[in-house]
C-alpha cells in the first residue's frame, strides 16, 4: 500500500489560522508534496516550507489533480489544498475524477480532510441564517448551463429554502446575480433579509445586510457569498435569524 | 459593554478533538459559564472543568438559551455549545430568538464560532458528494409541517440538487425516510448513489454506500446523515463523486 502513495484533499478553512483544524494541520505536516492554488500557500507557509510545494494558477484544477496522481504514483504522500471545505465546490471532486480514470488497482489511497467552508464561516458572521433548510447554488455558468441554474433558483425559492449563493459575480459574469434576484423575487417578498459576506475571516472582511429588493444594486464580487433568507427569516439587531420551524398557528 | 456580559454560540464539530478549531478552543477557554446538552461535555471536559458547567437534556434548547441570557445578564461570559456547526440546525438561532425578546439596549454581546458540521464531516468520509449544488433538508416534522418538507423534497429532487437529509429517522419518526425516498425516486433513477454516515468522526463510525432504490431498507438511525446524489453522481471505488458541472455535449 505504502508504495503506491497517497493523496489527501485538505480543506484549509477561510485562511485564518484560528479556523484551520488540527486534522488539517496534521495532514499538511505529514505530506511530502503540497499542491494547490498559489494564493493559499501564504496561509500555511510556516507549515509547508520544508516540503515540495507546487503552486498553480486559478483555473488549473485538473492540472493540480494530474500532478497529485503523478507524485502519488511515485509512492509519495501528497496533500492537495483547497480553501474552505475540500469537498464543497473544491478539489476533492477533481481528484476523484482523475482517480476514476485509473484502473482501480493502480489508484493511490485517497482521503479528505473537511474544513470550515465559506458557508459555515459567513453564516457565523451573519448570525443564524441557516437555522432551517437551505439550498446551496453556484451562479457560475462556466460548467453548468444557465438554464439548469435558473431551474434550481426557482425550485429552491418556491419551496422556501434559505439560499446560499456561491460565485454570485465576477468580472466576466456580471448579469447572473440580477437575474437570480428576479427569479427569487417571484416567490419571495422584497423585504426578505439578505446578508452579503465578503472575505469571511480574512483581511478585507465586510458584512453587509440588505433586502432582496435592494440586493441587485449591492456590492457583490468574486470574494463574496450571498445569503437570502426564507419567508420567516428576520433581522435581530445586526444578525439574521431563520427560526427552526414554522409557527404552529395557521398564518 | 463588559457589564452586560456576552454570549458565544460555539460549534464543537463532530466531537473528535482533531476537528475542534482553535477558535472554538479559545472561546471555551475564555468562557466563565458553559451551557449545553449533557452529552457534549464529555468531548471538552478537560477544557471546561474549571468553569461553571450547565448540562441539560436533549429538547431543552430554549431553556439553554434562557439560562445563557440569565448568566450574561449578570455580566458573565457565556459559551453555549453545539455539536457540529453552531448555526446549522443548532443553538445560534435559538439564542438569537431569545435575544430578540429583549429590548435592543439590554441585549448582551452575541457572537458565533462556526464548526465542522455533520454536513462537512460526513461528506469528507463519502468522498465528494457535494461537488455541485446541494439542498439540506431536515426530515423532522416536530416544528415544520410534513407538507412543507414534502414540497422541499420534490422541489430539490426535480431541480437535480444533491440532497443532504438531517434527522432522517428516530424512534418516534419511522415512516418519513421511506416517504422521502418515494418522492425523490419520482424524479431520479433508483441507481442514484446514496451514502449513509453514522457517527461521523465519532466512536461507532459507519459509512454505508447504497442506491436510492435500496435506501429505504438500509439502516438509518438518529445518529445518521443521508446523502442522495444528483443525476451525474457516481461511485468511484468506495467514494461518491458529484462532478463540478454537466457535460458540455447534449445528453
Amino acid at each position: 500500500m505504502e508504495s503506491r502513495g497517497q493523496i489527501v484533499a485538505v480543506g484549509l478553512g477561510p485562511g485564518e489560522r484560528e479556523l484551520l483544524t488540527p486534522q488539517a494541520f496534521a495532514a499538511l505536516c505529514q505530506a511530502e508534496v503540497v499542491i494547490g492554488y498559489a494564493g493559499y500557500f501564504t496561509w500555511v507557509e510556516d507549515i509547508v516550507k520544508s516540503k515540495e510545494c507546487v503552486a498553480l494558477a486559478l483555473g488549473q484544477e485538473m492540472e493540480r489533480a494530474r500532478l497529485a496522481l503523478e507524485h502519488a504514483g511515485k509512492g509519495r504522500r501528497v496533500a492537495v489544498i483547497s480553501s474552505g471545505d475540500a469537498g464543497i465546490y473544491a478539489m476533492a471532486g477533481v481528484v476523484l475524477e482523475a482517480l476514476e480514470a485509473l484502473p482501480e488497482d493502480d489508484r493511490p489511497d485517497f482521503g479528505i480532510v473537511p474544513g470550515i467552508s465559506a458557508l459555515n464561516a459567513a453564516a457565523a458572521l451573519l448570525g443564524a441564517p441557516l437555522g432551517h433548510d437551505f439550498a446551496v447554488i453556484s451562479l457560475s455558468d462556466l460548467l453548468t448551463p444557465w438554464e439548469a441554474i435558473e431551474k434550481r433558483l426557482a425550485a429552491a425559492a418556491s419551496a422556501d429554502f434559505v439560499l446560499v449563493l456561491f460565485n454570485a459575480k465576477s468580472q466576466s459574469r456580471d448579469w447572473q446575480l440580477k437575474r437570480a434576484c428576479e427569479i427569487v423575487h417571484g416567490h419571495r417578498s422584497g423585504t426578505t433579509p439578505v446578508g452579503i459576506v465578503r472575505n469571511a475571516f480574512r483581511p478585507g472582511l465586510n458584512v453587509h445586510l440588505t433586502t432582496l429588493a435592494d440586493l441587485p444594486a449591492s456590492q457583490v464580487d468574486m470574494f463574496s457569498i450571498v445569503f437570502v433568507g426564507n419567508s420567516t427569516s428576520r433581522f435581530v439587531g445586526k444578525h439574521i435569524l431563520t427560526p427552526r420551524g414554522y409557527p404552529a398557528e395557521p398564518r
Side-chain angles (χ1 to χ4, degrees), chain A:
Chain A
M1 289 296 170
E2 273 307 295
S3 68
R4 63 177 182 187
Q6 59 171 248
I7 302 175
V8 185
V10 181
L12 301 181
E16 177 177 293
R17 187 61 57 88
E18 286 280 285
L19 290 173
L20 180 80
T21 68
Q23 191 176 86
F25 188 95
L28 292 176
C29 290
Q30 284 154 21
E32 296 166 284
V33 182
V34 182
I35 299 174
Y37 166 56
Y40 304 150
F41 279 93
T42 58
W43 302 346
V44 290
E45 216 164 10
D46 56 317
I47 312 174
V48 304
K49 62 187 168 193
S50 64
K51 299 160 190 303
E52 182 171 343
C53 295
V54 184
L56 293 171
L58 274 182
Q60 294 197 288
E61 288 79 15
M62 290 175 67
E63 176 65 3
R64 289 181 227 161
R66 194 193 65 73
L67 286 169
L69 262 63
E70 189 178 302
H71 284 283
K74 295 175 188 158
R76 308 181 78 186
R77 293 189 300 276
V78 181
V80 178
I81 57 177
S82 285
S83 70
D85 187 305
I88 298 182
Y89 301 120
M91 285 301 299
V94 184
V95 174
L96 262 186
E97 276 196 77
L99 290 173
E100 191 181 30
L102 292 180
E104 200 150 346
D105 286 344
D106 293 348
R107 295 178 192 159
D109 289 334
F110 178 57
I112 299 99
V113 172
I116 300 288
S117 78
L119 180 75
N120 307 93
L125 294 167
L126 290 171
L130 302 183
H132 208 331
D133 302 339
F134 58 96
V136 182
I137 304 175
S138 167
L139 297 191
S140 169
D141 53 356
L142 295 179
L143 296 170
T144 302
W146 179 251
E147 298 67 39
I149 298 171
E150 286 212 356
K151 188 175 177 186
R152 284 188 181 154
L153 288 163
S158 71
D160 208 29
F161 282 98
V162 174
L163 300 178
V164 185
L165 306 179
F166 278 72
N167 304 314
K169 210 169 182 181
S170 74
Q171 284 191 312
S172 60
R173 293 182 303 95
D174 58 359
W175 55 266
Q176 286 84 350
L177 177 62
K178 186 162 181 291
R179 176 72 190 121
C181 290
E182 287 168 7
I183 294 168
V184 177
H185 205 155
H187 301 271
R188 212 164 286 183
S189 158
T191 61
T192 303
V194 164
I196 302 167
V197 180
R198 187 174 187 274
N199 284 316
F201 295 102
R202 287 181 194 171
L205 167 68
N206 186 265
V207 176
H208 178 59
L209 301 181
T210 183
T211 62
L212 181 55
D214 290 333
L215 168 56
S218 296
Q219 204 188 312
V220 174
D221 66 12
M222 64 178 289
F223 303 106
S224 307
I225 179 168
V226 178
F227 290 66
V228 182
N230 73 14
S231 64
T232 68
S233 299
R234 51 196 189 255
F235 294 113
V236 179
K238 60 187 200 306
H239 290 120
I240 295 176
L241 163 66
T242 303
R244 291 181 298 168
Y246 289 88
E249 301 79 25
R251 292 181 301 159

